[in-house]
Amino acid sequence: MSAVSMVALACIALNFVRAGCAHFLRFREMCSMLAVRGWSAPRAMLAAGSAVQIVAGLGLLWQPSRHASAIALLAFTTCASVTLLDFWRLSGRERVGAANGFFSNVAVCGGLLLASIL
């Protein structure tokens, strides 16, 4: 594998590992946000999602687990984007911020698709 591919994978991995760790550091706040949005079992969902981000993020760096890790993160990112960045229901500044996050995640999904075949 080329050095450029490894750096690209490390960048994607860092994004997910950092986010998963940040969720654990702000666990109460994040749980409250999920509860307000009507999620059932927000503590369990947040813990599971954050663990997936950390474990699968690291898994991108190891060839035997790369494909499965990329697919797990692709599924996670798609679900999180559709449920938490639902810009089509918002207006004004909230809509712009959520749309920017949503389409940034679309780009991340493209990177994950590429990672899945490396």
Side-chain angles (χ1 to χ4, degrees):
M1 172 171 299
S2 74
V4 171
S5 296
M6 283 306 299
V7 169
L9 287 170
C11 289
I12 297 169
L14 178 62
N15 178 63
F16 284 102
V17 172
R18 184 214 55 84
C21 291
H23 292 161
F24 280 119
L25 292 173
R26 298 175 39 216
F27 200 78
R28 282 183 133 163
E29 179 185 343
M30 299 296 294
C31 283
S32 295
M33 182 191 75
L34 295 176
V36 165
R37 295 194 53 108
W39 285 43
S40 60
R43 292 177 60 81
M45 293 294 287
L46 180 59
S50 299
V52 165
Q53 287 181 295
I54 295 167
V55 172
L58 292 171
L60 289 175
L61 303 175
W62 190 46
Q63 173 53 45
S65 62
R66 187 170 299 135
H67 179 78
S69 294
I71 298 305
L73 290 168
L74 180 64
F76 170 84
T77 302
T78 300
C79 292
S81 297
V82 170
T83 59
L84 297 174
L85 297 172
D86 50 350
F87 67 91
W88 49 90
R89 295 182 41 208
L90 304 171
S91 61
R93 292 180 117 174
E94 284 183 309
R95 181 183 179 99
V96 171
N100 287 342
F102 183 91
F103 288 104
S104 290
N105 283 353
V106 169
V108 168
C109 286
L112 289 167
L113 287 170
L114 288 172
S116 76
I117 62 171
L118 291 177

XYZ file of all heavy atoms in Angstrom:
865
model
N 0.841 -1.165 0.000
C 0.000 0.000 0.000
C 0.894 1.238 0.000
O 1.904 1.295 0.688
C -0.904 -0.016 1.235
C -1.669 1.272 1.384
S -2.915 1.251 2.647
C -3.971 -0.015 2.062
N 0.474 2.249 -0.728
C 1.279 3.466 -0.840
C 1.209 4.295 0.440
O 0.264 4.178 1.234
C 0.791 4.313 -2.016
O -0.432 4.945 -1.693
N 2.185 5.151 0.601
C 2.213 6.047 1.759
C 1.016 6.995 1.728
O 0.440 7.315 2.770
C 3.527 6.831 1.774
N 0.628 7.418 0.541
C -0.527 8.323 0.410
C -1.802 7.619 0.888
O -2.618 8.212 1.605
C -0.680 8.819 -1.051
C -1.983 9.574 -1.241
C 0.505 9.689 -1.435
N -1.969 6.358 0.533
C -3.144 5.608 0.986
C -3.158 5.465 2.497
O -4.219 5.595 3.131
C -3.177 4.214 0.343
O -3.320 4.319 -1.043
N -2.014 5.203 3.083
C -1.940 5.066 4.540
C -2.256 6.385 5.244
O -2.955 6.405 6.262
C -0.573 4.557 4.981
C -0.390 3.060 4.767
S -1.675 2.025 5.518
C -1.511 2.413 7.242
N -1.764 7.492 4.702
C -2.065 8.800 5.294
C -3.562 9.089 5.171
O -4.183 9.574 6.127
C -1.217 9.919 4.649
C -1.704 11.299 5.064
C 0.252 9.745 5.005
N -4.146 8.764 4.023
C -5.583 8.978 3.831
C -6.388 8.161 4.841
O -7.339 8.674 5.456
C -5.980 8.617 2.402
N -6.025 6.893 5.023
C -6.718 6.051 6.002
C -6.543 6.593 7.417
O -7.487 6.596 8.211
C -6.195 4.614 5.923
C -6.638 3.817 4.702
C -5.848 2.517 4.620
C -8.130 3.549 4.739
N -5.350 7.063 7.731
C -5.091 7.619 9.063
C -5.943 8.868 9.306
O -6.459 9.070 10.414
C -3.608 7.939 9.229
N -6.141 9.681 8.276
C -6.979 10.882 8.404
C -8.429 10.498 8.690
O -9.079 11.090 9.570
C -6.906 11.726 7.136
S -5.329 12.557 6.894
N -8.941 9.519 7.966
C -10.320 9.075 8.187
C -10.444 8.446 9.566
O -11.395 8.708 10.307
C -10.763 8.096 7.079
C -10.766 8.792 5.713
C -12.158 7.537 7.378
C -10.939 7.852 4.540
N -9.478 7.610 9.923
C -9.499 6.956 11.240
C -9.482 7.991 12.356
O -10.253 7.894 13.321
C -8.309 6.006 11.374
N -8.627 8.986 12.242
C -8.529 10.028 13.259
C -9.860 10.750 13.447
O -10.267 11.037 14.572
C -7.432 11.023 12.890
C -7.248 12.209 13.840
C -6.846 11.722 15.229
C -6.213 13.172 13.277
N -10.559 11.009 12.357
C -11.863 11.669 12.431
C -12.829 10.872 13.310
O -13.494 11.435 14.190
C -12.437 11.841 11.019
C -13.800 12.479 11.023
O -13.960 13.618 11.450
N -14.791 11.733 10.564
N -12.895 9.571 13.103
C -13.848 8.747 13.854
C -13.395 8.491 15.286
O -14.213 8.539 16.211
C -14.117 7.435 13.115
C -15.025 7.631 11.947
C -14.524 7.684 10.665
C -16.388 7.795 12.130
C -15.362 7.887 9.576
C -17.239 7.996 11.059
C -16.725 8.044 9.770
N -12.114 8.218 15.496
C -11.623 7.962 16.848
C -11.794 9.218 17.702
O -12.259 9.152 18.847
C -10.157 7.480 16.831
C -9.581 7.403 18.229
C -10.060 6.122 16.129
N -11.463 10.367 17.160
C -11.632 11.623 17.891
C -13.093 11.869 18.237
O -13.434 12.216 19.368
C -11.098 12.792 17.067
C -11.144 14.126 17.819
C -11.427 15.314 16.908
N -12.614 15.213 16.117
C -13.857 15.529 16.540
N -14.058 15.942 17.763
N -14.876 15.414 15.729
N -13.991 11.664 17.277
C -15.418 11.890 17.521
C -15.956 10.932 18.579
O -16.700 11.347 19.479
C -16.203 11.741 16.222
N -15.588 9.663 18.492
C -16.050 8.694 19.485
C -15.570 9.040 20.880
O -16.333 8.988 21.847
N -14.318 9.431 21.003
C -13.777 9.838 22.311
C -14.476 11.102 22.810
O -14.813 11.201 23.998
C -12.272 10.065 22.215
S -11.327 8.552 21.959
N -14.708 12.051 21.930
C -15.384 13.300 22.318
C -16.790 13.016 22.836
O -17.256 13.660 23.780
C -15.423 14.269 21.140
N -17.473 12.058 22.227
C -18.819 11.708 22.699
C -18.776 11.172 24.124
O -19.646 11.488 24.932
C -19.469 10.679 21.777
C -19.779 11.219 20.426
N -19.999 10.404 19.340
C -19.915 12.492 19.962
C -20.248 11.153 18.281
N -20.205 12.423 18.636
N -17.782 10.354 24.422
C -17.666 9.839 25.787
C -17.318 10.957 26.772
O -17.793 10.957 27.905
C -16.634 8.709 25.872
C -17.168 7.391 25.405
C -16.591 6.737 24.324
C -18.250 6.788 26.035
C -17.086 5.505 23.888
C -18.753 5.566 25.605
C -18.165 4.929 24.529
N -16.522 11.917 26.346
C -16.143 13.025 27.223
C -17.317 13.969 27.502
O -17.332 14.640 28.530
C -14.966 13.798 26.627
C -13.647 13.037 26.577
C -12.595 13.834 25.813
C -13.153 12.710 27.981
N -18.273 14.021 26.595
C -19.458 14.874 26.750
C -20.716 14.012 26.817
O -21.758 14.370 26.279
C -19.539 15.836 25.567
C -18.361 16.775 25.467
C -18.371 17.652 24.218
N -19.676 18.135 23.851
C -20.085 18.287 22.590
N -19.271 18.008 21.592
N -21.277 18.740 22.317
N -20.610 12.886 27.495
C -21.653 11.864 27.459
C -23.022 12.387 27.908
O -24.021 12.174 27.226
C -21.235 10.658 28.309
C -21.987 9.407 27.963
C -21.648 8.670 26.845
C -23.026 8.975 28.758
C -22.333 7.519 26.511
C -23.722 7.819 28.433
C -23.373 7.093 27.307
N -23.075 13.074 29.031
C -24.363 13.575 29.536
C -25.013 14.533 28.552
O -26.210 14.436 28.278
C -24.175 14.284 30.861
C -24.014 13.387 32.022
C -23.906 14.230 33.238
N -24.768 13.703 34.263
C -24.670 14.011 35.522
N -23.755 14.890 35.896
N -25.471 13.476 36.401
N -24.223 15.466 28.055
C -24.728 16.451 27.099
C -25.249 15.778 25.832
O -26.323 16.114 25.329
C -23.611 17.441 26.766
C -23.976 18.503 25.771
C -22.777 19.367 25.399
O -21.763 19.360 26.126
O -22.871 20.040 24.375
N -24.488 14.820 25.330
C -24.882 14.118 24.102
C -26.141 13.283 24.336
O -27.026 13.235 23.489
C -23.737 13.238 23.598
C -22.470 13.989 23.235
S -22.667 15.130 21.863
C -23.003 13.996 20.545
N -26.240 12.629 25.499
C -27.439 11.851 25.829
C -28.665 12.746 25.876
O -29.733 12.376 25.377
C -27.277 11.130 27.165
S -26.256 9.663 27.064
N -28.513 13.916 26.464
C -29.625 14.861 26.535
C -30.077 15.274 25.140
O -31.279 15.359 24.866
C -29.225 16.103 27.332
O -28.971 15.767 28.662
N -29.122 15.509 24.260
C -29.457 15.890 22.884
C -30.247 14.776 22.188
O -31.240 15.032 21.508
C -28.184 16.194 22.095
C -28.448 16.644 20.674
S -26.957 16.708 19.663
C -26.688 14.964 19.361
N -29.817 13.543 22.377
C -30.519 12.418 21.759
C -31.911 12.235 22.369
O -32.871 11.949 21.652
C -29.701 11.136 21.894
C -28.367 11.114 21.148
C -27.613 9.828 21.439
C -28.573 11.299 19.654
N -32.021 12.414 23.666
C -33.313 12.271 24.341
C -34.300 13.326 23.846
O -35.473 13.023 23.589
C -33.133 12.361 25.850
N -33.837 14.559 23.681
C -34.693 15.639 23.179
C -35.197 15.314 21.777
O -36.327 15.642 21.423
C -33.929 16.990 23.187
C -34.618 18.050 22.352
C -33.731 17.466 24.610
N -34.380 14.618 21.016
C -34.780 14.249 19.642
C -35.644 12.994 19.613
O -36.001 12.501 18.552
C -33.542 14.079 18.772
C -32.813 15.433 18.634
C -31.797 15.462 17.570
N -32.237 15.058 16.280
C -32.420 15.866 15.244
N -32.230 17.147 15.383
N -32.773 15.384 14.078
N -35.965 12.464 20.799
C -36.895 11.343 20.876
C -36.280 9.959 20.741
O -37.000 8.988 20.535
N -34.972 9.855 20.869
C -34.336 8.546 20.768
C -34.652 7.720 22.010
O -34.568 8.216 23.127
C -32.832 8.701 20.647
C -32.371 9.161 19.300
C -32.919 10.138 18.541
C -31.249 8.682 18.586
N -32.203 10.302 17.390
C -31.170 9.423 17.390
C -30.289 7.720 18.844
C -30.179 9.203 16.451
C -29.303 7.510 17.904
C -29.257 8.239 16.713
N -34.997 6.476 21.796
C -35.161 5.584 22.940
C -33.776 5.067 23.338
O -32.902 4.906 22.487
C -36.091 4.423 22.596
O -35.563 3.684 21.528
N -33.583 4.854 24.612
C -32.310 4.360 25.163
C -31.112 5.170 24.669
O -30.152 4.615 24.117
C -32.132 2.881 24.824
N -31.138 6.492 24.880
C -30.045 7.315 24.353
C -28.677 6.952 24.918
O -27.679 7.031 24.195
C -30.445 8.744 24.733
C -31.479 8.616 25.783
C -32.137 7.289 25.574
N -28.620 6.520 26.184
C -27.322 6.156 26.775
C -26.722 4.956 26.050
O -25.545 4.953 25.691
C -27.471 5.862 28.262
C -27.816 7.100 29.094
C -28.041 6.763 30.557
N -26.886 6.160 31.198
C -25.835 6.832 31.669
N -25.812 8.141 31.580
N -24.835 6.191 32.236
N -27.531 3.937 25.842
C -27.049 2.724 25.166
C -26.686 3.020 23.713
O -25.655 2.540 23.211
C -28.101 1.624 25.237
N -27.521 3.803 23.042
C -27.251 4.128 21.642
C -25.963 4.941 21.504
O -25.148 4.675 20.613
C -28.429 4.906 21.047
C -29.705 4.096 20.927
S -29.550 2.749 19.743
C -29.578 3.661 18.231
N -25.790 5.915 22.390
C -24.593 6.747 22.323
C -23.343 5.932 22.641
O -22.326 6.054 21.952
C -24.713 7.934 23.282
C -23.515 8.884 23.312
C -23.257 9.487 21.936
C -23.740 9.978 24.343
N -23.418 5.099 23.654
C -22.265 4.268 24.010
C -21.906 3.326 22.860
O -20.728 3.198 22.499
C -22.545 3.479 25.283
N -22.908 2.687 22.279
C -22.656 1.758 21.172
C -22.094 2.487 19.958
O -21.111 2.041 19.349
C -23.938 1.018 20.812
N -22.711 3.597 19.595
C -22.243 4.351 18.430
C -20.835 4.879 18.612
O -20.006 4.815 17.696
N -20.538 5.384 19.799
C -19.202 5.915 20.066
C -18.159 4.799 20.055
O -17.049 4.984 19.543
C -19.191 6.643 21.408
O -20.103 7.728 21.371
N -18.521 3.644 20.599
C -17.602 2.500 20.580
C -17.331 2.051 19.147
O -16.187 1.736 18.793
C -18.170 1.353 21.413
N -18.373 2.039 18.322
C -18.184 1.678 16.907
C -17.220 2.654 16.247
O -16.319 2.248 15.508
C -19.534 1.647 16.152
C -19.340 1.632 14.650
C -20.355 0.448 16.592
N -17.394 3.939 16.517
C -16.504 4.923 15.914
C -15.042 4.680 16.301
O -14.155 4.747 15.447
C -16.908 6.338 16.341
C -18.178 6.819 15.687
C -18.499 8.226 16.127
O -18.770 8.471 17.299
N -18.456 9.146 15.197
N -14.803 4.388 17.555
C -13.428 4.189 18.017
C -12.842 2.877 17.493
O -11.771 2.860 16.884
C -13.368 4.241 19.563
C -13.737 5.635 20.065
C -11.981 3.819 20.059
C -14.018 5.715 21.547
N -13.570 1.791 17.694
C -13.048 0.471 17.307
C -12.914 0.351 15.790
O -11.871 -0.072 15.275
C -13.930 -0.654 17.893
C -13.531 -2.009 17.343
C -13.859 -0.640 19.411
N -13.953 0.725 15.058
C -13.890 0.616 13.595
C -12.934 1.657 13.014
O -12.270 1.391 12.004
C -15.286 0.755 12.988
N -12.854 2.830 13.658
C -11.874 3.821 13.199
C -10.462 3.257 13.255
O -9.700 3.361 12.296
N -10.123 2.638 14.371
C -8.806 1.994 14.481
C -8.682 0.816 13.521
O -7.607 0.553 12.969
C -8.562 1.536 15.923
C -8.394 2.668 16.942
C -8.374 2.108 18.356
C -7.142 3.483 16.644
N -9.794 0.113 13.294
C -9.794 -1.027 12.384
C -9.458 -0.672 10.946
O -9.009 -1.523 10.175
N -9.665 0.592 10.581
C -9.302 1.025 9.218
C -7.801 0.916 8.977
O -7.355 0.787 7.835
C -9.723 2.480 8.992
C -11.204 2.784 8.872
C -11.421 4.291 8.770
C -11.819 2.061 7.685
N -7.038 0.950 10.047
C -5.573 0.955 9.917
C -4.970 -0.436 9.795
O -3.764 -0.566 9.554
C -4.961 1.681 11.125
C -5.442 3.117 11.324
C -4.866 3.682 12.613
C -5.077 3.976 10.129
N -5.777 -1.465 9.943
C -5.282 -2.842 9.917
C -5.966 -3.587 8.773
O -7.184 -3.722 8.748
C -5.580 -3.493 11.268
C -4.941 -4.812 11.490
C -3.655 -5.163 11.242
C -5.577 -5.969 12.024
N -3.447 -6.469 11.589
C -4.619 -6.985 12.081
C -6.869 -6.233 12.468
C -4.905 -8.258 12.545
C -7.148 -7.498 12.936
C -6.169 -8.498 12.978
N -5.209 -4.076 7.835
C -5.745 -4.673 6.608
C -6.817 -5.737 6.837
O -7.860 -5.681 6.192
C -4.603 -5.232 5.742
C -5.063 -6.027 4.524
C -6.048 -5.291 3.645
O -5.882 -4.128 3.338
N -7.118 -5.961 3.249
N -6.619 -6.693 7.727
C -7.654 -7.729 7.858
C -9.031 -7.196 8.270
O -10.048 -7.807 7.952
C -7.093 -8.675 8.929
C -5.621 -8.500 8.846
C -5.422 -7.038 8.532
N -9.078 -6.076 8.985
C -10.371 -5.548 9.439
C -10.824 -4.322 8.645
O -11.889 -3.774 8.918
C -10.290 -5.180 10.922
O -9.333 -4.156 11.122
N -10.049 -3.894 7.680
C -10.332 -2.629 6.991
C -11.684 -2.619 6.296
O -12.465 -1.678 6.445
C -9.223 -2.312 5.990
C -9.388 -0.930 5.363
C -8.173 -0.530 4.558
N -7.024 -0.498 5.457
C -5.837 -1.027 5.164
N -5.622 -1.602 4.007
N -4.851 -0.965 6.040
N -11.991 -3.647 5.534
C -13.259 -3.665 4.783
C -14.453 -3.634 5.735
O -15.359 -2.801 5.583
C -13.328 -4.894 3.867
C -14.600 -4.979 3.102
N -14.837 -4.213 1.982
C -15.724 -5.706 3.306
C -16.054 -4.473 1.525
N -16.608 -5.374 2.312
N -14.458 -4.503 6.730
C -15.575 -4.552 7.684
C -15.678 -3.247 8.467
O -16.793 -2.750 8.716
C -15.406 -5.732 8.638
N -14.552 -2.676 8.841
C -14.555 -1.407 9.582
C -15.122 -0.284 8.724
O -15.925 0.534 9.204
C -13.138 -1.051 10.036
O -12.673 -1.984 10.977
N -14.704 -0.227 7.475
C -15.209 0.815 6.571
C -16.719 0.682 6.377
O -17.447 1.688 6.395
C -14.473 0.752 5.231
N -17.208 -0.538 6.221
C -18.648 -0.749 6.032
C -19.412 -0.394 7.302
O -20.484 0.239 7.251
C -18.932 -2.201 5.579
C -18.260 -2.485 4.220
C -20.426 -2.478 5.526
C -18.622 -1.530 3.095
N -18.876 -0.755 8.468
C -19.530 -0.402 9.741
C -19.600 1.114 9.898
O -20.650 1.661 10.287
C -18.775 -1.025 10.911
N -18.523 1.811 9.575
C -18.523 3.269 9.688
C -19.410 3.921 8.639
O -20.028 4.958 8.897
C -17.092 3.806 9.603
C -16.221 3.481 10.808
C -14.757 3.797 10.521
C -16.713 4.223 12.043
N -19.487 3.319 7.478
C -20.390 3.812 6.435
C -21.834 3.715 6.909
O -22.613 4.674 6.777
C -20.185 3.020 5.144
C -21.046 3.396 3.953
C -20.750 4.812 3.492
C -20.803 2.415 2.820
N -22.205 2.585 7.475
C -23.573 2.418 8.000
C -23.839 3.391 9.139
O -24.899 4.045 9.182
C -23.774 0.976 8.467
N -22.883 3.511 10.063
C -23.028 4.438 11.184
C -23.201 5.869 10.681
O -24.103 6.591 11.122
C -21.804 4.345 12.106
C -21.790 5.424 13.136
C -22.500 5.288 14.320
C -21.089 6.604 12.919
C -22.515 6.297 15.273
C -21.088 7.624 13.857
C -21.806 7.465 15.035
N -22.340 6.302 9.781
C -22.366 7.682 9.285
C -23.661 7.974 8.545
O -24.259 9.048 8.698
C -21.149 7.951 8.384
O -19.960 7.687 9.136
C -21.120 9.382 7.885
N -24.126 7.010 7.761
C -25.384 7.193 7.033
C -26.546 7.345 8.009
O -27.347 8.285 7.894
C -25.623 6.007 6.077
O -24.533 5.936 5.151
C -26.931 6.161 5.321
N -26.636 6.456 8.978
C -27.725 6.522 9.966
C -27.669 7.813 10.773
O -28.695 8.484 10.968
C -27.680 5.311 10.895
S -28.085 3.768 10.079
N -26.494 8.166 11.253
C -26.347 9.387 12.049
C -26.699 10.623 11.228
O -27.359 11.543 11.732
C -24.928 9.486 12.594
N -26.287 10.644 9.977
C -26.559 11.804 9.127
C -28.046 11.981 8.867
O -28.575 13.093 8.951
C -25.806 11.668 7.797
O -24.424 11.665 8.020
N -28.719 10.885 8.557
C -30.153 10.967 8.244
C -30.972 11.328 9.483
O -31.936 12.083 9.404
C -30.639 9.643 7.607
C -32.151 9.596 7.499
C -30.003 9.470 6.232
N -30.575 10.819 10.639
C -31.381 11.058 11.841
C -31.004 12.330 12.585
O -31.871 12.939 13.225
C -31.290 9.867 12.816
O -29.933 9.656 13.186
C -31.863 8.610 12.191
N -29.757 12.753 12.524
C -29.326 13.914 13.311
C -29.044 15.163 12.488
O -29.000 16.260 13.035
C -28.081 13.558 14.132
C -28.287 12.465 15.182
C -26.966 12.091 15.828
C -29.301 12.906 16.218
N -28.838 15.021 11.217
C -28.560 16.174 10.355
C -29.673 16.329 9.322
O -29.419 16.541 8.139
C -27.195 16.009 9.677
C -26.003 15.965 10.627
C -24.721 15.606 9.878
C -25.848 17.288 11.356
N -30.910 16.240 9.786
C -32.084 16.281 8.915
C -32.411 17.725 8.518
O -33.419 18.290 8.902
C -33.270 15.595 9.584
C -33.519 16.077 11.003
O -32.661 16.802 11.555
O -34.574 15.747 11.556
N -31.523 18.297 7.707
C -31.612 19.701 7.309
C -32.895 20.025 6.565
O -33.365 21.158 6.591
C -30.387 20.097 6.462
C -30.332 19.427 5.123
C -30.897 20.012 4.009
C -29.698 18.204 4.984
C -30.839 19.390 2.769
C -29.628 17.568 3.757
C -30.202 18.163 2.638
N -33.482 19.037 5.914
C -34.705 19.255 5.131
C -35.889 19.646 6.021
O -36.876 20.148 5.524
C -35.048 18.011 4.304
C -35.028 16.746 5.121
C -36.072 16.193 5.802
C -33.894 15.912 5.360
N -35.662 15.057 6.454
C -34.329 14.855 6.199
C -32.567 15.943 4.956
C -33.475 13.845 6.632
C -31.730 14.944 5.388
C -32.183 13.901 6.217
N -35.773 19.443 7.318
C -36.838 19.814 8.258
C -36.580 21.167 8.923
O -37.405 21.637 9.690
C -36.955 18.757 9.355
C -37.395 17.402 8.848
C -37.537 16.409 9.967
N -38.157 17.029 11.138
C -37.964 16.641 12.385
N -37.177 15.632 12.641
N -38.547 17.263 13.387
N -35.440 21.778 8.651
C -35.023 22.988 9.346
C -35.100 24.203 8.430
O -35.345 24.077 7.233
C -33.589 22.808 9.864
C -33.346 21.606 10.768
C -31.856 21.435 11.029
C -34.122 21.750 12.071
N -34.853 25.369 9.017
C -34.805 26.599 8.231
C -33.714 27.500 8.785
O -33.184 27.274 9.878
C -36.161 27.315 8.260
O -36.491 27.674 9.586
N -33.383 28.514 8.022
C -32.410 29.508 8.458
C -31.028 28.948 8.705
O -30.554 28.062 7.997
N -30.383 29.501 9.751
C -29.009 29.111 10.067
C -28.902 27.642 10.449
O -27.904 26.985 10.152
C -28.484 29.953 11.214
C -28.296 31.395 10.859
C -27.784 32.138 12.038
N -26.470 32.655 11.684
C -25.787 33.454 12.437
N -26.250 33.802 13.613
N -24.625 33.900 12.039
N -29.927 27.125 11.145
C -29.907 25.709 11.526
C -29.851 24.825 10.290
O -29.135 23.836 10.263
C -31.145 25.348 12.341
C -31.099 25.818 13.771
C -32.332 25.359 14.514
O -33.455 25.593 14.008
O -32.157 24.763 15.585
N -30.611 25.196 9.270
C -30.633 24.414 8.031
C -29.264 24.422 7.361
O -28.775 23.382 6.919
C -31.703 24.951 7.079
C -31.793 24.164 5.787
C -32.829 24.784 4.855
N -32.920 24.062 3.621
C -33.839 23.162 3.327
N -34.780 22.872 4.203
N -33.839 22.543 2.175
N -28.639 25.582 7.301
C -27.328 25.696 6.651
C -26.298 24.845 7.379
O -25.539 24.090 6.754
C -26.880 27.177 6.581
C -25.437 27.291 6.102
C -27.808 27.966 5.669
N -26.267 24.941 8.707
C -25.299 24.161 9.488
C -25.503 22.668 9.340
O -24.553 21.908 9.144
N -26.771 22.235 9.422
C -27.059 20.803 9.286
C -26.757 20.317 7.868
O -26.230 19.216 7.691
C -28.514 20.527 9.657
N -27.066 21.127 6.865
C -26.779 20.735 5.474
C -25.275 20.615 5.254
O -24.812 19.670 4.596
C -27.392 21.740 4.493
N -24.515 21.551 5.804
C -23.046 21.469 5.671
C -22.516 20.188 6.317
O -21.671 19.500 5.737
C -22.383 22.694 6.296
C -22.572 23.940 5.459
O -22.896 23.876 4.286
N -22.378 25.095 6.084
N -23.003 19.869 7.507
C -22.591 18.638 8.168
C -22.997 17.407 7.381
O -22.216 16.456 7.226
N -24.228 17.411 6.866
C -24.750 16.274 6.105
C -23.874 16.013 4.877
O -23.442 14.877 4.636
C -26.194 16.544 5.685
C -26.844 15.408 4.961
C -27.557 14.452 5.660
C -26.750 15.283 3.581
C -28.164 13.399 5.004
C -27.346 14.231 2.915
C -28.058 13.287 3.628
N -23.604 17.062 4.100
C -22.844 16.857 2.874
C -21.355 16.618 3.132
O -20.692 15.955 2.326
C -23.111 17.984 1.878
C -24.493 17.870 1.292
C -25.510 18.696 1.706
C -24.783 16.877 0.365
C -26.802 18.559 1.202
C -26.065 16.724 -0.150
C -27.075 17.571 0.269
N -20.836 17.090 4.257
C -19.480 16.690 4.650
C -19.452 15.192 4.927
O -18.497 14.500 4.553
C -19.035 17.455 5.899
O -18.822 18.803 5.598
N -20.509 14.694 5.554
C -20.590 13.257 5.819
C -20.745 12.456 4.530
O -20.264 11.314 4.449
C -21.718 12.947 6.792
C -21.340 13.277 8.212
O -20.200 13.619 8.506
N -22.296 13.180 9.115
N -21.389 13.019 3.528
C -21.462 12.348 2.221
C -20.043 12.156 1.679
O -19.698 11.078 1.182
C -22.346 13.135 1.226
C -22.213 12.591 -0.187
C -23.807 13.112 1.677
N -19.210 13.194 1.818
C -17.820 13.088 1.364
C -17.055 12.040 2.177
O -16.280 11.244 1.617
C -17.129 14.446 1.465
N -17.283 12.009 3.481
C -16.649 10.995 4.334
C -17.070 9.601 3.872
O -16.245 8.677 3.825
C -16.997 11.239 5.819
C -16.593 10.047 6.680
C -16.327 12.508 6.316
N -18.332 9.442 3.518
C -18.808 8.141 3.030
C -18.079 7.743 1.754
O -17.755 6.564 1.567
C -20.329 8.182 2.802
S -21.276 8.171 4.339
N -17.785 8.694 0.898
C -16.988 8.400 -0.290
C -15.608 7.892 0.071
O -15.109 6.915 -0.504
N -14.983 8.534 1.064
C -13.679 8.060 1.547
C -13.766 6.665 2.139
O -12.870 5.843 1.951
N -14.846 6.392 2.855
C -15.027 5.053 3.441
C -15.232 3.994 2.362
O -14.739 2.868 2.497
C -16.194 5.058 4.421
C -15.950 5.814 5.726
C -17.247 6.035 6.476
C -14.922 5.083 6.576
N -15.937 4.341 1.306
C -16.098 3.395 0.191
C -14.742 3.078 -0.433
O -14.455 1.905 -0.733
C -17.068 3.940 -0.841
C -18.533 3.940 -0.453
C -19.364 4.725 -1.452
C -19.043 2.505 -0.327
N -13.926 4.093 -0.619
C -12.584 3.842 -1.124
C -11.764 2.999 -0.154
O -11.060 2.067 -0.555
C -11.867 5.162 -1.408
C -12.346 5.942 -2.629
C -11.684 7.311 -2.688
C -12.083 5.150 -3.908
N -11.865 3.317 1.136
C -11.133 2.544 2.145
C -11.545 1.081 2.132
O -10.707 0.195 2.370
C -11.358 3.148 3.538
N -12.809 0.814 1.838
C -13.305 -0.567 1.870
C -12.673 -1.445 0.796
O -12.698 -2.666 0.906
C -14.834 -0.584 1.734
O -15.243 -0.335 0.409
N -12.097 -0.833 -0.234
C -11.494 -1.640 -1.312
C -9.962 -1.632 -1.271
O -9.318 -2.241 -2.119
C -11.988 -1.199 -2.701
C -11.595 0.256 -2.995
C -13.482 -1.428 -2.819
C -11.864 0.694 -4.422
N -9.393 -0.931 -0.285
C -7.919 -0.905 -0.179
C -7.389 -2.148 0.507
O -7.989 -2.733 1.348
C -7.468 0.338 0.572
C -7.676 1.656 -0.147
C -7.254 2.817 0.753
C -6.873 1.706 -1.440
